[in-house]
Amino acid sequence: MAIKSAPRVRVPAQAKAGEIIEIKTLISHEMESGQRKDAAGKTVPRDIINSFQASFNGKTFFTAEWFPAISANPFQSFFYKVRESGEFTFSWKDDAGAEQKATAKLTVA
């Protein structure tokens, strides 16, 4: 199953050089742990988003590995110290190898 939902990201549009900003991300996904059984008694296969990566102007600055204990619709919040204008790229990958990306621009004022 591919990641079908569009991720949501919240990044300030502008910041001052040296300012620390908060970045918030959310993606809708059921995050099936692989431990549940369906109505027929068969194990439902594991299907989780297992990695998240954030980059700024092509340089990775934040990564996270997620495991079955992560809740459905995972939310990730973190901070970044602004040095220059540019573009953030966020990437989520699941067990099936599907990837979903989102971008956000930041202007240093």
Side-chain angles (χ1 to χ4, degrees):
M1 180 170 142
I3 304 171
K4 296 178 182 174
S5 69
R8 291 177 275 183
V9 297
R10 181 171 287 171
V11 176
Q14 291 185 343
K16 296 177 183 176
E19 184 178 349
I20 297 173
I21 61 169
E22 184 175 16
I23 298 170
K24 297 178 181 182
T25 68
L26 175 72
I27 189 163
S28 296
H29 195 279
E30 291 181 5
M31 302 292 278
E32 186 59 59
S33 71
Q35 298 175 5
R36 192 173 61 84
K37 296 192 185 297
D38 64 12
K42 294 182 180 179
T43 302
V44 177
R46 178 179 137 149
D47 181 23
I48 67 168
I49 295 175
N50 56 41
S51 67
F52 170 78
Q53 180 176 318
S55 302
F56 186 70
N57 288 340
K59 294 181 183 177
T60 301
F61 69 92
F62 183 88
T63 60
E65 284 186 54
W66 293 341
F67 298 93
I70 294 291
S71 68
N73 309 319
F75 169 80
Q76 184 75 59
S77 176
F78 49 95
F79 296 91
Y80 182 76
K81 187 172 185 177
V82 175
R83 292 182 177 83
E84 61 188 358
S85 296
E87 183 174 76
F88 289 97
T89 303
F90 307 99
S91 173
W92 296 259
K93 292 182 184 176
D94 72 7
D95 286 340
E99 183 175 11
Q100 184 66 278
K101 290 190 175 192
T103 59
K105 292 188 180 195
L106 174 76
T107 303
V108 172

